[in-house]
Amino acid sequence: MNHNRVVCFDLEMCCWNENGVGRTGEIIEIGLAEVDLKSGNIVKRAQYYVKPEHDEVSKFCVELTGITPRTIEKQGRPLGEVLQSMIKNYGGNKKIYAAWGRDDEILREECERKGLDMPFKEFLNLATLYRIQHRMKEKRIGHRDAQQALGIDWEGRQHSGYVDAYNLAKVALAIL
């Protein structure tokens, strides 16, 4: 296990907003940004589009994420192939993975439904770590708000897995 490297990741899923109620479906994007805790740098980034097996990218989802059905059709791959690329390029079980919230559970549940193995074992919920460090027992805080509270500028479009993973990597370097 390489404890000097942490792979920050963010998931985007098919999503709908019906009568003001949001719901999500299958994963359509995985963004990754690896940090080297010794050097304090972001050393690698990636973006993988995933072809959903059962869901479609809604108009609401396009507006929220910027991911279009055409992008998924042209660049998307089955989740199993994407997970193999993650393992090959980011070390799988040899690395610690981190997200803001429980993206690990979302990924785990989809892997179970599709008969796939998780690409990693070690996971850090950076939202929980941030709340502990800042004594926010009862209050939840979003990734972007926490980043701003740390004095770190947000870069890019929110709800892009690639952008969110990169911004999360900056937060990870500040709190780990």
Side-chain angles (χ1 to χ4, degrees), residues 91-102:
N93 288 332
K94 296 181 180 94
K95 299 277 178 65
I96 299 167
Y97 281 66
W100 192 268
R102 294 310 310 256

Side-chain angles (χ1 to χ4, degrees), residues 64-76:
L64 182 68
T65 67
I67 301 169
T68 65
R70 182 174 169 86
T71 300
I72 295 300
E73 186 60 36
K74 291 185 101 180
Q75 298 178 46

Side-chain angles (χ1 to χ4, degrees), residues 2-3 8 15 48 50 65 69-70 125 140-141 146 152 156 162 174:
N2 186 342
H3 289 89
C8 297
C15 51
Y48 299 109
V50 180
T65 67
R70 182 174 169 86
N125 180 341
R140 291 191 139 359
I141 186 167
I152 303 169
Y162 183 71

Side-chain angles (χ1 to χ4, degrees), residues 43-63:
V43 295
K44 195 171 5 176
R45 295 174 70 186
Q47 176 179 46
Y48 299 109
Y49 290 109
V50 180
K51 278 190 180 175
E53 293 177 10
H54 307 288
D55 291 333
E56 294 180 11
V57 179
S58 69
K59 183 179 177 187
F60 172 78
C61 192
V62 172
E63 291 169 4

Side-chain angles (χ1 to χ4, degrees), residues 127-128 130-142:
T128 298
Y130 181 90
R131 287 175 50 221
I132 290 168
Q133 289 176 344
H134 292 86
R135 305 294 187 253
M136 302 172 77
K137 294 178 187 174
E138 303 300 322
K139 185 180 177 204
R140 291 191 139 359
I141 186 167

Side-chain angles (χ1 to χ4, degrees), residues 73-111:
E73 186 60 36
K74 291 185 101 180
Q75 298 178 46
R77 297 185 292 147
L79 181 60
E81 287 182 23
V82 168
L83 297 180
Q84 287 305 312
S85 293
M86 285 174 59
I87 292 166
K88 178 182 175 196
N89 296 318
Y90 286 86
N93 288 332
K94 296 181 180 94
K95 299 277 178 65
I96 299 167
Y97 281 66
W100 192 268
R102 294 310 310 256
D103 282 13
D104 64 315
E105 287 297 323
I106 294 166
L107 181 58
R108 179 174 286 109
E109 288 171 11
E110 190 160 331
C111 284

